């Protein structure tokens, strides 16, 4: 109450922001007559002028009014569209690194061109990030004529793109792509073996379209690049038979002979005592568990993991709700958008368990090679901004996690859509019957188009059957028809059109009342001006008829667990001051009502003795549903915040490793770096045999000599030195041994020559770094899975994780140094004769076969979109050696049988 009172006196923060921005808009509008008077050549030349002024020290903020005026005039000439004042406010919001919330249909794509143009003047690159490849391609091609007229280049990135083409796309002034592709390219750039292979040239400024979907909905799942680990598909297939013999317990703490209890809120299962015994008996019968052995002994935790995954796959994950089967593959369906996610796989063995359940070929599990979260990736940008129709409900999270303020941009025309109260029915059948009657009623009273939103593919198909039985012609848009998404949505506003859509509801594509005549025109082969005029006239008539019928009618068949998703569906109607109506039809069997809504409401409705076809409509019920949604949003926020807490620890380590990698790639020579490694490794190795501050009797000289010979391939007469010079103390001895080892290393460097030695040092250093970082990521993953158990010992799991992670990291750095020193000490150094022989062989081969022998990186669709699996052996750079000499990798085989194999 106090906040609203203060807001009434001083105005809200949003109103103050808008007031400040309107003053800038006045400056932009004042420049319009001057800019309009310029011819096309002078208008285009303004970009080069702005770049020069920026180089001379003029800030982008100072250039903004003039740059926006130029961009608006160019859009008017090239695209036939002039930015409204509210779009200028949106452009200022984006440039200032904030989130612009604009209602659907207010022109976010055009608004984004202003901030893109202004920030591209710096020459450091602008990234425009969308939720799918279709929108990235569409927006880039839509805006290309404008930007090219203004002298800026456009690039588009997508998965499975040619590496050269992708490099060029990143060099462009403005680069369009999806959040997944930008994130995976960042990870891939930190797995390359030369700076030339890097694609991204820095993370300066990004505009995220549908920012709430990317930074909120997708933030719970990390980006993972992984490679295949050992195959355990037979184990998944065997354990798949167990869930059919189990049944769930109805209540958590009330034993009723059930084998496990399902927590639907957390998507987890917990075994009961009866369940343990049954599963143990089944595993013993299968021969997977020894007689009398416990399922929960340390050696059998892998079996627990498999059984848990199988139960979750059978009882928590439903076909056509959480996934679909397409061409023999399990394709995940995004719960928030309803879109399929080809190439993505659930982790922790769940995907394999679902494949086993569906009787499909079980793909091998994967080992993480590189990972990050969207939160930590997007926080790497120097400046971040976003636009969406629905971000205000998550404003506090945007501020806390990303430091982004949300500015609510007013609509160009007043909003006149009617949002009616929810109707609640006893069961789903009653709800679907009511929706069918509502559609028939709307169609009897006019030609208004209808869009029906569903939460799952399954619900969309059930509703489709009901409408078919009632003789209602309609289109269905769900993950199974995603290729036709743009076409279906384009005509969803046509007279009498009925469209059933999952949550995707064509985000990013406007529903025009009366249909979209331009899409119809594009389908005519060689259209004539007469065809164009005919379609325009038909659209005019249809548009007026739909407006007279009350505009687009939105029917929600279920409330989503997030208010934003409901608002997105409602936002499809009422664009640009158009009329529209929205109403949600719910039932007590809906997941949100069943899991989260108050028992009081459910009991009250049953007590009232409502029949199946009767509904309750009351503000108290709507309030209860909103409270349930707030609870779910708060829980999801906690999940994301918790994920971020742990990933922040990983992120600090990731920054260190990636910066070290960049230093190694950029350095001409690693000689000083390697010498430092030798000093560290030798100090550690010698301390194992000559303990610090110890007496001669405690020294293990034979053991030290043997270790030096086995690990570094060097024989030193340390015992003889001590006999000859009794005054050699611990410090002097360490120094002498280190000097001898370094002398041998430097002699070998001279023998190889500077180019070969630099190549070899980089090869071994990067190889060891990548190998141990990969193992470290697996260790961190295992640590995080079990760290919550420390809470039972009255310890803070988060602090314990930080401490353990630090120790693991320090140990990993020590092992990397040790590996590099050992590899460089044992590698075979080719003689001049061997090098000459190899060169002659290479020339003979080149004359015989005119092609280049090289390993290509493998593309593997695992735990992320199409993601590259780095095959470290295939990408290591081996210096020239004789084909009959031992391979430099240390495998013990001849070079021609190992890395020299043709």
């Amino acid at each position: 109450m106090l906040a609203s009172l203060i807001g009434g006196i001083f105005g809200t923060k949003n109103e103050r922001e808008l007031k400040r921005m309107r003053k800038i808009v006045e400056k932009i509008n004042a420049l319009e007559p001057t800019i309009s008077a310029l011819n096309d050549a002078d208008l285009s030349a303004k970009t080069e002028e702005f770049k020069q002024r920026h180089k001379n020290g003029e800030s982008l903020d100072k250039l903004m009014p003039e740059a926006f005026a130029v961009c608006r005039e160019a859009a008017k000439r090239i695209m036939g569209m002039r930015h409204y004042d509210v779009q200028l406010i949106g452009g200022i919001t984006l440039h200032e690194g904030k989130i612009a919330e604009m209602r659907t249909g207010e022109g976010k794509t055009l608004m984004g061109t202003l901030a893109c143009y202004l920030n591209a003047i710096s020459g450091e690159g602008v990234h425009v990030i969308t939720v799918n490849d279709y929108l990235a391609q569409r927006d880039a091609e839509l805006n290309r004529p404008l930007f090219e007229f203004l002298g800026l280049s456009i690039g588009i990135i997508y998965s499975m793109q040619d590496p050269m083409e992708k490099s060029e796309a990143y060099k462009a002034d403005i680069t369009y792509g999806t959040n997944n592709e930008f994130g995976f390219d960042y990870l891939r750039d930190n797995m390359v073996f030369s700076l030339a292979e890097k694609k991204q040239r820095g993370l300066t400024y990004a505009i995220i379209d549908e920012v709430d979907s990317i930074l909120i909905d997708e933030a719970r799942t990390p980006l993972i690049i992984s490679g295949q680990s050992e195959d355990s598909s037979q184990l998944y297939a065997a354990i798949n038979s167990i869930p059919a013999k189990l049944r769930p317990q109805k209540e958590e703490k009330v034993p009723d002979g059930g084998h496990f209890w399902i927590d639907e809120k957390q998507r987890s299962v917990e075994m009961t005592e009866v369940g343990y015994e049954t599963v143990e008996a089944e595993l013993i019968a299968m021969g997977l568990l020894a007689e009398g052995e416990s399922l929960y002994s340390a050696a059998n935790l892998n079996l627990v993991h498999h059984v848990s995954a199988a139960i979750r796959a059978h009882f928590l994950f439903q076909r056509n709700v959480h996934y679909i089967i397409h061409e023999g593959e399990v394709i995940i369906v995004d719960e928030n958008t309803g879109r399929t996610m080809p190439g993505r796989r659930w982790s922790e063995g769940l995907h394999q368990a679902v494949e086993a359940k569906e009787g499909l070929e079980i793909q091998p599990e994967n080992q993480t090679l590189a990972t990050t979260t969207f939160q930590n990736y997007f926080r790497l940008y120097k400046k971040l901004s976003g636009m969406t129709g629905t971000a205000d409900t998550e404003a506090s999270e945007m501020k806390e996690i990303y430091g982004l303020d949300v500015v609510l941009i007013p609509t160009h025309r007043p909003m006149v859509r009617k949002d009616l109260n929810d109707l609640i029915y006893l069961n789903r059948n009653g709800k679907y019957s009511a929706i069918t009657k509502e559609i028939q009623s709307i169609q009897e009273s006019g030609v208004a188009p209808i869009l029906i939103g569903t939460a799952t593919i399954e619900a969309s198909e059930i509703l489709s059957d009901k409408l078919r039985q009632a003789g209602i012609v309609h289109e269905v848009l769900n993950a199974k028809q995603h290729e036709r998404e743009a076409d279906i949505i384009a005509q969803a506003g046509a007279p009498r059109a009925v469209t059933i859509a999952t949550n995707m509801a064509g985000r990013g594509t406007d529903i025009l009342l009366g249909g979209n005549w331009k899409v119809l025109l594009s389908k005519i082969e060689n259209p004539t001006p007469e065809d164009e005029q005919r379609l325009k006239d038909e659209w005019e008539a249809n548009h007026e008829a739909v407006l007279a019928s009350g505009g687009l009618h939105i029917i929600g068949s279920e409330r989503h667990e997030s208010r934003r998703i409901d608002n997105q569906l409602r936002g499809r109607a009422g664009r640009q001051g158009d009329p529209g109506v929205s109403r949600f039809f719910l039932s007590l069997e809906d997941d949100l009502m069943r899991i989260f809504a108050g028992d009081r409401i459910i009991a009250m409705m049953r007590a009232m003795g409502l029949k199946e076809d009767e509904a309750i409509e009351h503000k108290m019920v709507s309030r209860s549903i909103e409270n349930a949604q707030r609870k779910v949003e708060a829980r999801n926020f906690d999940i994301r915040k918790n994920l971020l807490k742990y990933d922040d620890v990983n992120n600090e380590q990731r920054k260190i490793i990636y910066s070290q990698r960049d230093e190694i790639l950029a350095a001409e020579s690693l000689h000083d770096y390697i010498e430092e490694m030798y000093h560290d490794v030798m100090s550690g190795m010698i301390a194992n045999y000559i303990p610090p501050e110890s007496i001669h009797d405690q020294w293990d000289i034979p053991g030290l000599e043997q270790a030096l010979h086995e690990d570094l391939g060097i024989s030193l007469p340390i015992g003889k030195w001590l006999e000859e010079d009794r005054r050699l103390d611990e410090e002097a001895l360490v120094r002498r041994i280190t000097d001898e080892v370094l002398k041998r290393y430097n002699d070998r460097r001279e023998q190889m020559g500077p180019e070969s030695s630099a190549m070899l040092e980089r090869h071994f250093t990067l190889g060891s770094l990548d190998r141990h970082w990969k193992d470290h990521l697996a260790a961190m993953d295992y640590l995080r899975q079990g760290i919550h158990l420390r809470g039972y010992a009255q310890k803070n799991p988060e602090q314990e994780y930080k401490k353990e992670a630090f120790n693991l990291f320090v140990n990993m750095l020590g092992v990397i140094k040790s590996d590099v020193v050992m590899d460089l000490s044992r590698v075979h150094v080719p003689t001049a004769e061997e090098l000459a022989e190899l060169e002659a062989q290479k020339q003979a081969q080149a004359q015989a076969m005119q092609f280049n022998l090289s390993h290509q990186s493998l593309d593997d669709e695992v735990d992320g979109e199409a993601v590259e699996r780095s095959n470290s052996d295939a990408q290591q750079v081996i210096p020239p050696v004789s084909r009959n000499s031992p391979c430099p990798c240390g495998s013990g085989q001849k070079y021609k049988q190992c890395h020299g194999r043709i």
Side-chain angles (χ1 to χ4, degrees):
M1 186 170 174
L2 183 64
S4 60
L5 182 67
I6 293 168
I9 299 167
F10 300 106
T12 63
K13 185 189 175 192
N14 198 73
E15 285 166 354
R16 292 195 299 275
E17 282 288 284
L18 292 175
K19 190 176 179 183
R20 177 182 64 81
M21 290 181 191
R22 282 193 178 103
K23 289 177 183 173
I24 303 171
V25 170
E26 285 170 14
K27 289 182 187 174
I28 299 165
N29 289 337
L31 289 165
E32 191 164 14
T34 312
I35 300 297
S36 298
L38 297 173
N39 61 34
D40 284 1
D42 290 340
L43 189 64
S44 297
K46 275 285 180 185
T47 305
E48 204 50 51
E49 180 197 317
F50 293 147
K51 284 183 178 180
Q52 201 54 51
R53 281 162 61 183
H54 182 60
K55 272 182 194 168
N56 295 339
E58 200 167 336
S59 70
L60 292 179
D61 290 348
K62 201 168 177 188
L63 288 169
M64 178 166 54
E66 203 176 337
F68 275 25
V70 166
C71 188
R72 174 154 77 174
E73 180 60 30
K76 198 165 69 175
R77 295 184 193 182
I78 303 301
M79 303 167 81
M81 293 188 279
R82 178 184 177 276
H83 296 82
Y84 300 132
D85 285 1
V86 290
Q87 288 172 315
L88 295 178
I89 291 172
I92 296 164
T93 303
L94 293 179
H95 167 65
E96 291 180 350
K98 295 171 183 169
I99 292 171
E101 177 174 313
M102 285 184 90
R103 296 272 187 174
T104 302
E106 289 290 306
K108 288 190 286 291
T109 307
L110 184 63
M111 172 189 80
T113 57
L114 296 163
C116 278
Y117 175 62
L118 175 60
N119 284 273
I121 286 166
S122 70
E124 293 179 342
V126 174
H127 292 171
V128 183
I129 297 158
T130 65
V131 288
N132 62 45
D133 286 326
Y134 162 72
L135 288 176
Q137 185 82 29
R138 187 203 70 174
D139 291 356
E141 295 307 333
L142 193 69
N143 295 327
R144 187 187 293 278
L146 169 65
F147 290 132
E148 288 183 347
F149 171 80
L150 289 167
L152 298 176
S153 55
I154 295 283
I156 308 169
I157 61 160
Y158 51 89
S159 58
M160 311 294 281
Q161 190 174 11
D162 176 73
M164 291 298 291
E165 189 186 326
K166 182 168 276 187
S167 290
E168 288 305 310
Y170 273 116
K171 285 174 190 167
D173 293 308
I174 301 162
T175 307
Y176 286 80
T178 65
N179 51 319
N180 286 325
E181 203 56 27
F182 278 108
F184 284 129
D185 282 341
Y186 163 69
L187 292 176
R188 281 190 283 251
D189 273 358
N190 286 288
M191 295 169 70
V192 298
F193 279 79
S194 73
L195 286 175
E197 292 175 67
K198 282 201 162 202
K199 307 291 185 294
Q200 293 182 345
R201 58 183 176 124
L203 306 176
T204 306
Y205 176 59
I207 298 175
I208 305 176
D209 194 10
E210 307 298 0
V211 66
D212 56 321
S213 177
I214 291 171
L215 295 190
I216 302 290
D217 298 333
E218 298 209 27
R220 275 188 285 172
T221 47
L223 283 167
I224 299 170
I225 289 183
S226 51
Q228 290 184 358
S229 60
E230 71 283 348
D231 185 7
S232 53
S233 52
Q234 289 180 329
L235 190 54
Y236 282 106
I239 287 176
N240 184 55
S241 61
I242 293 178
K245 297 167 185 173
L246 309 177
R247 70 174 180 82
Q249 182 173 290
K250 287 180 182 170
E251 290 186 50
E252 183 182 6
K253 293 174 183 173
V254 184
D256 59 6
H259 299 95
F260 58 90
W261 177 73
I262 295 175
D263 183 346
E264 288 192 78
K265 291 183 187 180
Q266 301 291 343
R267 286 269 180 88
S268 62
V269 293
E270 200 170 313
M271 302 265 272
T272 64
E273 282 298 323
V274 180
Y276 292 142
E277 290 165 10
T278 307
V279 169
E280 278 181 357
E282 288 294 326
L283 291 171
I284 288 167
M286 288 178 186
L288 295 173
L289 195 66
E291 192 75 48
E293 202 175 352
S294 168
L295 179 60
Y296 275 82
S297 68
N300 296 320
L301 286 177
N302 189 37
L303 287 175
V304 177
H305 162 81
H306 279 75
V307 170
S308 175
I311 295 171
R312 288 175 68 209
H314 278 262
F315 291 91
L316 277 170
F317 288 80
Q318 299 172 41
R319 185 171 178 170
N320 289 341
V321 176
H322 302 105
Y323 63 91
I324 61 169
I325 306 295
H326 180 66
E327 295 181 356
E329 284 186 41
V330 172
I331 310 289
I332 300 171
V333 174
D334 188 316
E335 292 173 55
N336 298 296
T337 64
R339 298 180 192 278
T340 54
M341 298 193 287
R344 291 271 190 100
R345 293 178 68 81
W346 286 304
S347 56
E348 298 176 3
L350 178 61
H351 212 97
Q352 286 80 2
V354 172
E355 286 169 337
K357 165 191 163 185
E358 296 290 349
L360 303 171
E361 184 184 347
I362 299 167
Q363 303 298 322
E365 284 186 79
N366 305 300
Q367 182 176 11
T368 301
L369 302 176
T371 179
T372 188
T373 56
F374 280 126
Q375 288 113 317
N376 274 321
Y377 171 67
F378 285 117
R379 290 194 304 184
L380 292 170
Y381 280 90
K382 292 175 189 170
K383 185 166 72 174
L384 188 64
S385 64
M387 48 192 181
T388 179
T390 48
D392 193 41
T393 56
E394 313 288 354
S396 58
E397 180 171 351
M398 292 295 191
K399 183 68 179 169
E400 188 175 336
I401 303 290
Y402 304 99
L404 293 170
D405 287 313
V406 177
V407 178
L408 275 69
I409 313 294
T411 54
H412 177 55
R413 295 194 180 104
M415 169 69 73
V416 295
R417 186 186 68 231
K418 293 178 192 167
D419 293 331
L420 305 176
N421 279 337
D422 299 352
L423 292 177
I424 297 143
Y425 293 81
L426 273 177
N427 54 38
R428 285 198 180 111
N429 202 44
K431 176 180 73 174
Y432 291 143
S433 298
I435 289 172
T436 307
K437 285 175 187 169
E438 177 77 1
I439 294 167
Q440 288 169 332
S441 168
I442 294 166
Q443 291 195 330
E444 283 166 13
S445 60
V447 295
I450 301 162
L451 177 68
I452 307 147
T454 64
T456 64
I457 298 168
E458 187 180 41
S460 69
E461 290 178 345
I462 292 169
L463 201 48
S464 176
D465 288 340
K466 295 265 184 193
L467 297 191
R468 206 175 291 113
Q469 287 165 20
I472 297 169
V473 178
H474 63 280
E475 285 277 9
V476 181
L477 172 60
N478 60 33
K480 291 182 177 179
Q481 285 90 24
H482 65 93
E483 294 91 351
R484 296 178 56 226
E485 177 180 343
D487 285 345
I488 294 173
I489 282 295
Q491 302 311 327
R496 301 183 71 82
V498 178
T499 310
I500 300 172
T502 48
N503 292 327
M504 64 210 302
R507 277 188 82 161
T509 310
D510 282 340
I511 296 177
L512 302 177
L513 298 188
N516 192 324
W517 67 270
K518 288 181 180 176
V519 171
L520 294 175
L521 184 69
S522 68
K523 294 188 180 301
I524 298 174
E525 200 173 328
N526 302 320
T528 62
E530 291 76 22
D531 289 329
E532 186 175 333
Q533 192 57 49
R534 176 177 55 80
L535 289 172
K536 270 188 189 175
D537 293 343
E538 283 176 12
W539 176 82
E540 282 285 350
N542 290 340
H543 182 67
E544 291 304 321
V546 169
L547 286 177
S549 296
L552 180 66
H553 281 59
I554 300 290
I555 295 175
S557 69
E558 194 171 328
R559 281 276 198 170
H560 195 271
E561 60 180 36
S562 167
R563 287 171 295 163
R564 280 181 309 102
I565 311 294
D566 294 342
N567 291 341
Q568 284 161 14
L569 179 61
R570 277 200 160 120
R572 307 307 302 165
R575 64 181 290 282
Q576 290 286 343
D578 287 342
V581 182
S582 76
R583 191 197 287 274
F584 280 84
F585 289 72
L586 316 176
S587 88
L588 296 185
E589 293 176 351
D590 293 347
D591 287 343
L592 184 77
M593 297 288 287
R594 186 171 51 80
I595 301 170
F596 296 102
D599 293 334
R600 194 159 54 94
I601 289 187
I602 294 171
M604 180 186 77
M605 287 187 66
R606 293 214 162 104
M608 288 168 68
L610 288 176
K611 293 177 184 173
E612 188 179 87
D613 59 348
E614 291 179 327
I616 187 170
E617 178 183 358
H618 199 281
K619 282 184 180 175
M620 185 187 82
V621 179
S622 295
R623 259 200 316 271
S624 176
I625 292 163
E626 284 212 4
N627 286 337
Q629 288 177 311
R630 279 195 183 92
K631 283 180 199 168
V632 183
E633 285 166 7
R635 181 178 65 87
N636 288 342
F637 179 28
D638 286 341
I639 291 170
R640 290 189 290 268
K641 204 156 78 170
N642 199 45
L643 172 72
L644 188 60
K645 272 182 196 171
Y646 288 104
D647 193 63
D648 277 344
V649 178
N650 295 29
N651 198 44
E652 289 306 312
Q653 297 181 357
R654 182 164 45 239
K655 282 179 183 173
I656 293 168
I657 290 294
Y658 287 177
S659 66
Q660 281 200 341
R661 257 189 135 268
D662 286 344
E663 284 174 23
I664 292 165
L665 289 171
E668 283 185 25
S669 170
L670 298 176
H671 184 234
D672 294 342
Y673 189 60
I674 299 291
E675 279 206 345
E676 196 180 313
M677 279 190 188
Y678 265 93
H679 280 286
D680 290 346
V681 171
M682 293 313 301
S683 297
M685 181 189 279
I686 295 167
N688 290 333
Y689 300 94
I690 304 177
E693 299 179 12
S694 59
I695 59 173
H696 280 237
D697 290 348
Q698 293 173 294
W699 294 5
D700 179 7
I701 300 305
L704 178 58
E705 288 179 342
Q706 188 179 350
L708 288 168
H709 179 70
E710 288 177 357
D711 293 345
L712 305 180
I714 185 168
S715 298
L716 295 177
I718 301 169
K720 193 176 176 186
W721 293 347
L722 288 168
E723 284 174 18
E724 290 172 355
D725 186 356
R726 288 288 175 186
R727 290 172 301 170
L728 265 179
D729 60 5
E730 175 198 328
E731 194 179 326
L733 189 59
V734 169
R735 195 163 50 247
R736 185 167 176 183
I737 293 170
T738 306
D739 287 347
E740 285 290 336
V741 171
L742 275 172
K743 183 178 178 300
R744 179 173 179 267
Y745 159 66
N746 285 319
D747 287 346
R748 289 157 64 80
R749 279 189 98 253
E750 275 186 41
Q751 193 179 340
M752 282 188 283
E755 202 173 305
S756 291
S757 59
M759 191 190 294
L760 198 66
E761 285 165 354
R762 184 173 288 108
H763 161 73
F764 280 125
T765 308
L766 286 177
S768 180
L769 191 74
D770 291 347
R771 187 167 62 251
H772 291 294
W773 174 241
K774 177 185 71 177
D775 294 340
H776 178 73
L777 287 174
M780 293 282 277
D781 202 31
Y782 292 134
L783 176 65
R784 188 164 71 185
Q785 285 174 24
I787 203 72
H788 66 278
L789 298 172
R790 305 279 178 97
Y792 294 114
Q794 305 300 309
K795 292 179 179 178
N796 182 331
E798 194 187 330
Q799 292 301 324
E800 289 291 302
Y801 182 75
K802 285 180 180 176
K803 189 169 70 178
E804 295 274 0
F806 176 75
N807 292 335
L808 282 171
F809 190 66
V810 170
N811 290 340
M812 177 193 71
L813 294 178
V815 173
I816 289 171
K817 288 177 184 177
S818 182
D819 262 18
V820 173
V821 166
M822 287 182 191
D823 287 343
L824 287 172
S825 298
R826 291 185 310 206
V827 71
H828 170 73
V829 179
T831 62
E833 291 79 15
E834 288 171 339
L835 285 171
E837 181 193 338
L838 186 69
E839 188 57 38
Q841 285 178 357
K842 279 165 70 179
Q843 285 180 0
Q845 286 172 1
Q847 288 168 359
M849 322 175 280
Q850 292 294 318
F851 64 85
N852 179 32
L853 298 170
S854 65
H855 292 278
Q856 298 297 315
S857 62
L858 304 174
D859 278 335
D860 193 14
E861 296 196 352
V862 287
D863 275 33
E865 284 201 351
V867 297
E868 290 183 3
R869 184 176 75 239
S870 172
N871 182 335
S872 57
D873 280 346
Q875 295 186 11
Q876 287 175 345
V877 184
I878 307 293
V881 292
S882 162
R883 296 187 52 72
N884 290 311
S885 300
C887 187
C889 74
S891 65
Q893 292 181 299
K894 287 184 179 180
Y895 178 70
K896 67 182 180 184
Q897 293 163 338
C898 191
H899 281 81
R901 184 183 295 149
I902 297 175

